[in-house]
Amino acid sequence: MAKVAVRLSAYFCVALLMCFAFMDMARASAKVIQGRYIVELEPPAAVAQTTKHNMAAGKAQKHYRSMVQQQQRAFTEQITQHIPTISVKRRFDTLLNGLEVSLDESELDRVLALPGVKRVYPVKMRYAHLDTSHQAIKSIEAWSQLGGQHEAGKGIKIAIIDSGIQPGNPMFDDTGFEAPDLSGNSWLSQNPDYCRMEGGDPDFCNNKVIIARVFKPEDDNFAFDSATDVSPLDTNRHGTHVAGIAAGNPIEVTFEGVDVNLSGVAPGAYLMVYKALFDNGGIVTGSDAMLLAALEHAVKDGADVINNSWGSIQDESPEESVYTQVFSTAEQMGVVIVNSAGNNGSLSDNAINCPGCIESGITVANSTVGRIFGHKLKIDDTEFPAYSGDTLLSFDDMQLPLSLMTNGSGEPADGCSAAGEETLSGMAVLVDYTNACPLDTIVSNVAEAGGSAVLVYQDNVSDFETLRPFNQFSGEFSLPLLGLTRADGRMLRQKALTQNNQILISGTREALLNQALYNQLNPSSSVGPNLNPNVLKPDITAPGTDILSAAAPEPDVGFPMGSLPSPSLQDDAPAFALISGTSMSSPMVAGAAALMRQAHPDWSSKQIKTALISTAKAEVKVNQKAASPFEQGAGMLDIPAAMNAALTFDSGSYAHGACVGSCSFTNVVTNVSDIAQNWTVDIQLDDPQASLTLQQQSLALTGANTPGAAANLAFSIDTSDVENGKWVFGRVGFRQGNSPTQQLPIAVFANDNSDTRALSSNLSVAQSGDLSATTRVRNIDFVQDPSLSISVPDFATIIPGSIQAEVSNGQTYQLAIGDEGKLHWQGALSAGSMSLQATTPWNAPTLKSTGVQPVLCQDGCTRFSTRVDFPFTYHGEQYPGVTVSSNGFIVAGQIELGPFDANRVVEFPSEDNLNNVIAPLWPIMICATPMTPLITEKVPCILILLTGRANAIWW
């Protein structure tokens, strides 16, 4: 039998995925405010973080803030001496020890070099994310456990950081409320809100809306209306709508002719309003500094739950966000943070918006409930709903013959042409809408042909739109106009072709349920993986589509995009509106968190979070298929199940973004019930090629708050046989007798085991016949200490004493040969890093300065590839020039490059051979033409290259 000498080498490495996406402001990409930064300072010496319960006594809180303020005053004196031009805009002393400053970018290195500076963050802009939902999340059952609807949330304070509130809306009336005693809050007395400050308005607040503040832009690079934005009044409707969902009073309203009962999830809770989002040219937005100030004030004012229905697309790792420390501190202080996931669908790998990308806090996805306002239709024994827009056209019940839309020759048509007089007399006319003409043209043509009603659907739609009734219309029409789903439209088409079919149309407008659209993920809801794939987001799903809640009478911004405007009102009547987005699903969970805090006042914020996550129902669908954890998180919110949860956890999910062979997970499971319980652990994975090792298939836990109430659960997942580059999803379930199952989601990426950057092995044969084996593993994305097991062929054994581990940037914990003959290594590897530095390949800012003459191009300088001659050195190689493509990049050397050749997006660094692309760019050609005034002869074109940083004119 051959003998093998083994050498194990461990290195660190990092893989950076560079993706480019162009998005408009509606997609809420983060915008950096030039010259504005948040400087985070090291914590004061010998000061430990305290919990909210300690801070409630006041002494610990005051002592900590006093030390932070003293440190900040000293730092301000120091920094102004070094950089006289710096200006301090805001200070943060509770959730973050930091200051917002204004300074030139060139001074950043000097700031970072100062003693006591921990980190510097650029200030970015964040954007707002824009009834029957109570059945979906089982609010009514939860209310009954808390003494009834009016008692649900009683005494709990929910902070809404948003665009303000309309306090006159009946959803915020204070009848039956008794204001909390805030006299012991010295912070509030020393820093009065809008309702208590000199020059404010005490009548703005009441016994339900107990605190209101405004965080005005301070030259934050966007418009500010000093006439309307100096108060917490919401002129947009976003904040009012969100507040109503979280904690609005139970009321009955008539919306578009239909009587509807509305209520927030926690109607008995108090509301605290923090206006930090403003209209900025049609977008509801606020800066990081404004939002951080609001977060700090909310915590100091005593908030139990904070809702953040805002964010922006990730352009940084979640760990680099200023909100990471802020949310973590808030959680340690007992505050539950709830965030919207964003409305970017599956735009890219960074679709999950920040700060919802952060581990701390609960991030919420948006699902549908299928409720529509419309009329019932019935044909034969089949009954189904039809959407009727916002029209209030009244009509009696009608039983009509069903017909397809036809042209003058009797052939099926799109309705854009006249059908002929009386050819559709007394009929309900079915139209497959093709967007070839306005709907009012179709309705008019049907009316002229004697038709009595128009039924519209779209056959050429896909995915989610097949489930939604056609709803792209509003206003009044001369005939009843009703929108159908694709399935119902196709069914009626077959009925119409058989002739002699009568359809019954109810004349009563009502709230109806479209069952096909119930509990579907809204396609706009941002999905994972997170930019840091080891943090699984979203956490949970709640209804957020077509949610009816309080609104502003005349919104100045129609945001989120596509939402219906509030109806025109007379005499300052309260407004209500249907709006969709994760902005609406987030306050559903914020209200649920308030109910949890009321039911379990002694639980930590992490216990509330994990109880909500682990009791969610994984029943959300994506186009009628089961949603993955990247889409729904743990699943649909189930409030009573969370209130009755018997277990809580240290972590609410299991995720690993680079599982090379095998990856391990641990979690602490805690029994919060009063009795000892035995729990069975069951792990399910959706890929049969993935295997798992679970040593503890049951957990015996003693009653709450006893030494044996908590236990560690450890397991590992082996992805060696899984298709490379595939995500494996699953769930860890906990069952106990007849108790409902609690479960946590799993998302593991089966890393490409053939990737030699991560894991590689090789064998060599010595003259003696012995084999020498070397295995290398590199840290691409390990978040836990890795382990490695190496097997040898059956015909070989490992030579004792021949094994060694060479570790760079890490350490070995254990290296040994196991009883089964395998070599086992356990250790730690540091994470790798990479930095990029821009250089000019030919050591000159422009080609012109090198003496290169302009290159003439014909036909407007489009669709061309040209070569520019000049010698330069690039990556140690000599090149005679570059090749320039009008399709957007420059390549070193003179090569064959077609005008439509494109440079594909690849992982960086790439294992492919260098393609010598110097710069991807967007070129604009400006040429003299006969249409150009004042130019009488042809001149060379100007090639303008638009890059990510600046514009460069070459010729």
Side-chain angles (χ1 to χ4, degrees):
M1 177 176 287
K3 295 184 178 180
V4 181
V6 177
R7 184 173 65 181
L8 174 68
S9 299
Y11 301 84
F12 74 77
C13 181
V14 65
L16 174 65
L17 180 63
M18 301 183 70
C19 298
F20 299 89
F22 297 93
M23 60 200 74
D24 55 25
M25 292 295 288
R27 285 177 172 162
S29 54
K31 175 186 176 183
V32 174
I33 301 178
Q34 296 299 320
R36 298 293 280 273
Y37 302 91
I38 295 171
V39 180
E40 182 182 4
L41 304 180
E42 296 287 353
V47 174
Q49 185 55 254
T50 58
T51 67
K52 183 180 180 183
H53 301 292
N54 290 334
M55 284 196 171
K59 294 183 179 179
Q61 182 182 21
K62 290 180 180 179
H63 176 64
Y64 176 79
R65 284 214 303 265
S66 175
M67 294 192 67
V68 167
Q69 292 166 0
Q70 182 179 358
Q71 179 192 19
Q72 290 184 5
R73 285 193 295 269
F75 178 78
T76 301
E77 293 179 4
Q78 177 188 22
I79 197 172
T80 51
Q81 292 177 0
H82 286 79
I83 309 173
T85 57
I86 197 169
S87 173
V88 176
K89 298 294 184 180
R90 295 180 177 90
R91 300 173 185 270
F92 313 103
D93 59 15
T94 302
L95 301 179
L96 183 79
N97 180 10
L99 309 93
E100 183 199 12
V101 300
S102 172
L103 81 160
D104 190 86
E105 183 179 3
S106 62
E107 303 284 2
L108 272 182
D109 289 341
R110 296 179 64 188
V111 173
L112 286 165
L114 291 175
V117 173
K118 181 178 180 180
R119 195 164 185 171
V120 176
Y121 307 88
V123 174
K124 301 178 182 180
M125 302 301 294
R126 309 289 171 174
Y127 307 89
H129 289 152
L130 291 174
D131 52 43
T132 53
S133 56
H134 289 295
Q135 282 73 38
I137 61 178
K138 303 178 182 177
S139 307
I140 300 170
E141 183 181 338
W143 295 337
S144 67
Q145 297 183 32
L146 296 169
Q149 186 174 15
H150 290 276
E151 296 294 309
K154 186 174 182 178
I156 306 303
K157 297 184 284 293
I158 303 177
I160 306 294
I161 298 178
D162 216 287
S163 62
I165 195 171
Q166 286 274 331
N169 192 289
M171 293 196 83
F172 313 121
D173 183 79
D174 66 351
T175 301
F177 280 83
E178 182 179 343
D181 182 8
L182 302 176
S183 60
N185 189 329
S186 59
W187 155 261
L188 180 60
S189 61
Q190 296 170 13
N191 300 271
D193 69 321
Y194 181 77
C195 302
R196 295 166 177 82
M197 63 185 288
E198 183 178 350
D201 181 4
D203 294 331
F204 190 91
C205 296
N206 57 28
N207 289 342
K208 182 175 179 67
V209 180
I210 58 174
I211 288 178
R213 297 184 184 272
V214 186
F215 300 87
K216 297 178 290 188
E218 295 184 4
D219 61 298
D220 286 300
N221 286 9
F222 64 89
F224 173 71
D225 189 341
S226 58
T228 60
D229 287 337
V230 293
S231 83
L233 184 68
D234 180 18
T235 58
N236 164 256
R237 77 179 171 181
H238 191 272
T240 301
H241 201 272
V242 167
I245 295 170
N249 295 325
I251 61 171
E252 182 176 322
V253 302
T254 299
F255 182 78
E256 297 179 356
V258 179
D259 292 337
V260 183
N261 292 315
L262 298 183
S263 175
V265 177
Y270 296 118
L271 282 167
M272 305 162 70
V273 178
Y274 301 83
K275 183 176 179 178
L277 299 178
F278 296 83
D279 171 23
N280 183 27
I283 300 296
V284 184
T285 183
S287 73
D288 281 340
M290 296 159 61
L291 294 162
L292 283 172
L295 285 162
E296 286 228 328
H297 280 71
V299 171
K300 294 175 185 178
D301 288 338
D304 298 296
V305 179
I306 299 177
N307 183 81
N308 303 313
S309 288
W310 43 266
S312 64
I313 291 226
Q314 298 179 62
D315 56 1
E316 61 190 355
S317 171
E319 290 70 31
E320 297 175 358
S321 172
V322 64
Y323 294 97
T324 299
Q325 178 61 49
V326 169
F327 285 2
S328 176
T329 302
E331 279 194 340
Q332 293 172 28
M333 297 171 67
V335 182
V336 181
I337 304 289
V338 185
N339 308 298
S340 51
N343 301 325
N344 301 101
S346 55
L347 173 70
S348 65
D349 283 350
N350 63 345
I352 297 290
N353 281 205
C354 280
C357 63
I358 293 168
E359 174 67 38
S360 298
I362 308 172
T363 302
V364 190
N366 165 22
S367 70
T368 64
V369 293
R371 190 270 318 278
I372 65 171
F373 291 97
H375 297 258
K376 290 180 182 177
L377 275 62
K378 185 176 182 180
I379 189 165
D380 295 336
D381 294 327
T382 304
E383 188 175 80
F384 51 95
Y387 175 79
S388 59
D390 56 357
T391 178
L392 299 182
L393 178 67
S394 61
F395 57 90
D396 296 329
D397 292 353
M398 298 184 290
Q399 185 164 344
L400 306 171
L402 179 64
S403 173
L404 298 179
M405 185 67 191
T406 59
N407 57 24
S409 303
E411 299 295 327
D414 57 11
C416 295
S417 302
E421 292 186 15
E422 302 305 316
T423 55
L424 300 171
S425 179
M427 294 182 177
V429 181
L430 181 66
V431 178
D432 177 8
Y433 186 54
T434 62
N435 294 295
C437 62
L439 276 170
D440 54 3
T441 299
I442 296 174
V443 175
S444 177
N445 288 335
V446 171
E448 291 176 3
S452 299
V454 181
L455 310 178
V456 183
Y457 77 105
Q458 283 188 305
D459 196 78
N460 188 28
V461 292
S462 60
D463 299 331
F464 181 80
E465 292 304 319
T466 66
L467 308 175
R468 184 199 294 267
F470 178 76
N471 64 354
Q472 304 302 311
F473 60 93
S474 63
E476 301 296 329
F477 297 89
S478 58
L479 294 178
L481 174 64
L482 302 173
L484 310 174
T485 65
R486 186 180 71 171
D488 290 336
R490 288 179 172 181
M491 180 267 293
L492 289 186
R493 178 179 176 84
Q494 293 302 315
K495 297 285 187 181
L497 291 174
T498 63
Q499 300 179 349
N500 298 320
N501 269 297
Q502 298 287 313
I503 186 167
L504 177 64
I505 302 175
S506 170
T508 303
R509 178 178 166 85
E510 54 190 314
L512 301 170
L513 179 64
N514 172 22
Q515 194 63 47
L517 201 57
Y518 181 76
N519 210 10
Q520 294 281 329
L521 188 79
N522 190 302
S524 69
S525 186
S526 291
V527 305
N530 204 353
L531 196 58
N532 177 353
N534 303 303
V535 177
L536 179 56
K537 295 288 176 172
D539 294 298
I540 200 169
T541 302
T545 302
D546 292 334
I547 302 301
L548 184 59
S549 182
E554 295 181 1
D556 54 5
V557 182
F559 190 87
M561 299 294 182
S563 58
L564 293 176
S566 298
S568 298
L569 300 169
Q570 302 294 330
D571 302 324
D572 296 324
F576 302 89
L578 289 171
I579 309 182
S580 298
T582 54
S583 281
M584 285 65 248
S585 57
S586 178
M588 293 273 180
V589 177
L595 301 185
M596 293 288 291
R597 174 59 73 205
Q598 180 186 11
H600 302 286
D602 57 338
W603 281 15
S604 70
S605 58
K606 186 175 290 187
Q607 285 181 303
I608 290 176
K609 171 183 175 177
T610 58
L612 287 166
I613 291 173
S614 63
T615 55
K617 300 299 183 285
E619 298 171 351
V620 181
K621 300 289 192 293
V622 175
N623 302 324
Q624 301 293 20
K625 298 179 181 179
S628 75
F630 283 161
E631 294 159 329
Q632 65 174 331
M636 175 59 66
L637 171 67
D638 186 330
I639 303 176
M643 290 172 57
N644 298 323
L647 299 177
T648 61
F649 307 86
D650 268 14
S651 177
S653 60
Y654 303 91
H656 200 299
C659 190
V660 182
S662 178
C663 47
S664 300
F665 300 94
T666 60
N667 204 350
V668 177
V669 184
T670 302
N671 181 13
V672 290
S673 69
D674 293 332
I675 59 175
Q677 295 180 336
N678 292 317
W679 290 84
T680 300
V681 182
D682 178 35
I683 301 179
Q684 300 291 329
L685 302 175
D686 69 351
D687 192 316
Q689 299 303 316
S691 60
L692 61 93
T693 301
L694 174 63
Q695 296 179 347
Q696 303 159 275
Q697 295 185 344
S698 64
L699 298 174
L701 304 176
T702 60
N705 302 315
T706 61
N712 289 311
L713 176 71
F715 66 92
S716 61
I717 297 176
D718 192 321
T719 62
S720 301
D721 296 329
V722 176
E723 177 185 349
N724 293 329
K726 179 182 178 182
W727 281 96
V728 176
F729 299 113
R731 297 192 176 272
V732 181
F734 300 86
R735 293 183 288 105
Q736 192 271 329
N738 296 324
S739 298
T741 298
Q742 291 184 241
Q743 53 187 8
L744 300 175
I746 298 172
V748 173
F749 186 72
N751 208 74
D752 186 349
N753 294 330
S754 65
D755 185 349
T756 56
R757 294 173 301 159
L759 182 66
S760 61
S761 297
N762 63 73
L763 290 172
S764 60
V765 182
Q767 290 184 350
S768 63
D770 288 343
L771 301 177
S772 177
T774 302
T775 295
R776 288 184 172 86
V777 61
R778 303 186 183 191
N779 185 359
I780 290 181
D781 201 10
F782 297 146
V783 293
Q784 299 172 327
D785 291 344
S787 61
L788 190 66
S789 295
I790 303 174
S791 301
V792 297
D794 293 338
F795 60 81
T797 58
I798 300 176
I799 302 174
S802 70
I803 59 175
Q804 58 178 312
E806 298 175 359
V807 181
S808 299
N809 297 299
Q811 58 182 311
T812 296
Y813 298 151
Q814 182 182 32
L815 180 66
I817 302 173
D819 294 338
E820 74 282 16
K822 291 184 178 181
L823 174 62
H824 299 286
W825 176 85
Q826 178 72 45
L829 296 177
S830 302
S833 63
M834 174 177 286
S835 61
L836 301 176
Q837 181 175 358
T839 61
T840 304
W842 39 84
N843 300 317
T846 64
L847 292 179
K848 181 179 179 180
S849 64
T850 67
V852 176
Q853 295 301 309
V855 177
L856 294 178
C857 54
Q858 305 297 324
D859 300 325
C861 288
T862 61
R863 296 178 295 176
F864 79 92
S865 172
T866 189
R867 301 175 185 178
V868 182
D869 297 327
F870 71 103
F872 69 96
T873 301
Y874 184 57
H875 282 305
E877 299 287 337
Q878 279 291 127
Y879 292 94
V882 296
T883 304
V884 181
S885 165
S886 61
N887 202 33
F889 51 94
I890 304 168
V891 183
Q894 296 181 347
I895 65 172
E896 293 295 331
L897 187 64
F900 298 108
D901 287 346
N903 188 35
R904 63 186 178 89
V905 178
V906 297
E907 290 186 355
F908 185 79
S910 172
E911 290 185 327
D912 296 339
N913 292 329
L914 290 176
N915 54 21
N916 278 353
V917 174
I918 295 175
L921 52 94
W922 186 258
I924 296 178
M925 313 301 174
I926 301 179
C927 304
T929 68
M931 298 296 294
T932 306
L934 304 179
I935 296 180
T936 58
E937 59 180 326
K938 190 170 184 178
V939 298
C941 291
I942 298 175
L943 171 63
I944 301 180
L945 308 179
L946 302 182
T947 68
R949 293 180 60 87
N951 295 351
I953 299 180
W954 277 35
W955 291 296

